[in-house]
Amino acid sequence: MTVNLSKGQKVSLSKADGGALTVVRMGLGWRAARRKGFLARLTAREIDLDASAVLFAAGQPVDVVFFQHLVSDDGSVRHTGDNLVGGQGGDDESILVDLQKVPARIDQIVFTVNSFTGQTFQEVEDAFCRLVDETTGQELARYTLSAGGPHTAQIMAKVFRGDGGWQMAALGEPAQGRTFQDLMPEIAAHL
């Protein structure tokens, strides 16, 4: 059963039977907002959103997975590849996290989305991030970006070690930046 998260809401990543999740996929989906008017087709632009995962230990970034570094140094987090246009009808980009392989010193993984091509989220429709149990394919949680805005990035969600195991928190914090590096000051506020 999927939990639809609101900004700031948290959910445990323990299985209903009390077992622990092993591999989760953070999926990102989006499509360009439909333009209106006679010349809409002539002026349509593709939107390149990029998903990134920043791994933290005691509040310090220690690794990142994004379109130019597809696998974390320890091999526990893997980006499946860059999608330059979105709108594929499902996860346009995915980041897989093998929770059992994440080193004990890593206590948080923050997922960001940024518009590499510089469009604002006013030009994006149906943006979401979701967490899926990769073993079963079951969607565990979904955070839907319900409103656009003049920002070029979102600090979407994080998974973190909490009491009783891994948890997920929906952050949904708007930010400005074309890459995850541009977002680091805003990310720090959510650790």
Side-chain angles (χ1 to χ4, degrees):
M1 182 169 135
T2 299
V3 175
N4 288 311
L5 297 177
S6 301
K7 184 176 177 175
Q9 190 175 8
K10 297 176 184 174
V11 63
S12 171
L13 298 183
S14 297
K15 290 185 173 185
D17 65 5
L21 291 169
T22 55
V23 180
V24 294
R25 175 172 28 102
M26 180 65 68
L28 164 68
W30 77 93
R31 65 184 172 92
R34 291 184 194 101
R35 294 184 179 225
K36 295 180 171 58
F38 179 71
L39 299 176
R41 288 185 187 195
L42 299 176
T43 61
R45 287 178 62 189
E46 294 176 342
I47 296 178
D48 178 11
L49 294 186
D50 290 322
S52 302
V54 185
L55 290 71
F56 288 89
Q60 297 300 312
V62 296
D63 202 354
V64 65
V65 173
F66 68 115
F67 69 92
Q68 290 183 331
H69 184 236
L70 295 175
V71 180
S72 62
D73 294 339
D74 59 45
S76 66
V77 181
R78 184 174 56 88
H79 195 297
T80 60
D82 193 17
N83 180 319
L84 302 177
V85 296
Q88 304 300 309
D91 295 341
D92 294 312
E93 290 194 11
S94 294
I95 298 176
L96 299 166
V97 180
D98 188 333
L99 296 170
Q100 294 179 324
K101 289 185 180 178
V102 174
R105 69 186 183 108
I106 303 298
D107 53 14
Q108 297 184 69
I109 303 171
V110 177
F111 297 92
T112 66
V113 178
N114 50 277
S115 173
F116 189 74
T117 46
Q119 293 99 331
T120 69
F121 274 78
Q122 290 169 323
E123 299 176 68
V124 176
E125 282 185 353
D126 302 328
F128 67 86
C129 102
R130 67 188 193 124
L131 195 70
V132 175
D133 179 343
E134 193 64 8
T135 305
T136 66
Q138 178 184 1
E139 182 176 278
L140 304 169
R142 175 180 287 257
Y143 176 67
T144 302
L145 178 63
S146 58
H151 50 279
T152 58
Q154 283 272 328
I155 302 166
M156 292 293 282
K158 69 178 179 176
V159 293
F160 61 97
R161 295 183 197 268
D163 295 334
W166 287 98
Q167 297 181 20
M168 177 188 174
L171 300 172
E173 192 64 38
Q176 297 296 331
R178 293 181 58 232
T179 67
F180 74 89
Q181 294 100 326
D182 299 334
L183 308 179
M184 291 307 286
E186 286 89 353
I187 291 172
H190 297 284
L191 299 177

